[in-house]
Amino acid sequence: MEKPKLKTVQEVVAAGEKLPERYLYTPTGDGEGDQPFNGLLPEMKISIIDLNLLFSSSDDGREELSKLHSAISTWGVVQVMNHGISEALLDKIHELTKQFFVLPTKEKQKYAREISSFQGFGNDMILSDDQVLDWVDRLYLITYPEDQRQLKFWPENPSGFRETLHEYTMKQQLVVEKFFKALARSLELEDNCFLEMHGENATLETRFNIYPPCPRPDKVLGLKPHSDGSAFTLILPDKNVEGLQFLKDGKWYKASILPHTILINVGDTMEVMSNGIYKSPVHRVVLNGKKERISVATFCNADEDKEIQPLNGLVSEARPRLYKAVKKSEKNFFDYYQQGRRPIEAAMI
Ligand SMILES: O=C(O)CCC(=O)C(=O)O
Ligand SMILES: [Fe+2]
């Protein structure tokens, strides 16, 4: 199988070469905010949501649901506690991710992405010659359901990686089901409505990111502004190095979260299903001149063949339908790799 030729960012850094121009990013000026990448940005207050409390019929439970509704309809992001995944397991995932990325290139290349595949280790796909590159190396794996795994991309080194990722995935799937149900409740819909539209063959896809230190953190981005194509995304940001920022009303905000909570941001699929009530936020990752940053993002992606469209209960005369029915397999509406920052715009009526 042919492998991509481009050097990984870690290789560019190790070779000590001059910063390649293809990494220089100029903001488009298109509602994207003109604040410097690493300037003094305001901090966003991300609501902390107790996942278990959302299912209590007490006053506290109802209050938690309305807190969720308010956070997701304004920022599209929450940090979730009481999620049922132990601190030790979250720390282990981070630790193993780091151990994988510090392996010699030759070892990591055993799991290298093939030209036609997005799974595996390496760079993101290059779709055009003028594509500005992100300062990130990543390992991308479909993790759920189990029969969709391609184990040839799953590292056997460091030891325990596969087993720990399996354990983490099974725990994440429980969080995902609960979160879908909670979002339905917060809109006064039947618990399973989002899960049903999302489909039986929906996947979890985990992206392990390393953002090496960058000589020009003022000119280069770890991830360009984008929204996720998922229904929502579970993120474990780096506990020590910040970098994730969200765009709201044309301004960038820094996101910092409490250790051992899980950050969940809504993606384009949920924006469509909720008829735009829940917003898929544009976000980016900025870099550090001295320190590397590691994060682990898990995307909940819809069944490729299911029609995704606004739920009936959320369309009315007062709130007309905003999106066409779309399928992941038909058009790249939800394709993260598209250069468009918000592929969802193609689905708008
Ligand atoms: O590195 C992060 O904190 C965010 C990653 C992200 O936005 C993505 O992988 O889509
Ligand atoms: Fe993202």
Side-chain angles (χ1 to χ4, degrees), residues 334-347:
F334 301 111
D335 192 345
Y336 174 87
Y337 297 101
Q338 275 190 2
Q339 280 291 322
R341 286 182 298 124
R342 300 216 66 213
I344 195 182
E345 279 163 15

Side-chain angles (χ1 to χ4, degrees), residues 235-286:
I235 303 181
L236 300 182
D238 196 296
K239 274 193 288 188
N240 304 310
V241 184
E242 55 183 34
L244 180 58
Q245 300 180 348
F246 286 88
L247 184 69
K248 181 159 169 44
D249 303 326
K251 283 210 160 27
W252 289 103
Y253 292 81
K254 287 198 281 192
S256 58
I257 73 161
L258 285 175
H260 302 120
T261 57
I262 297 174
L263 186 131
I264 301 189
N265 71 270
V266 160
D268 293 358
T269 300
M270 180 54 68
E271 182 167 326
V272 170
M273 293 195 292
S274 72
N275 199 22
I277 296 174
Y278 287 159
K279 298 279 176 335
S280 165
V282 170
H283 49 288
R284 69 181 182 186
V285 175
V286 304

Side-chain angles (χ1 to χ4, degrees), residues 223 226-228 233 235 244 265 283 297 299 336:
L223 283 181
H226 67 279
S227 60
D228 296 344
T233 305
I235 303 181
L244 180 58
N265 71 270
H283 49 288
F299 306 100
Y336 174 87

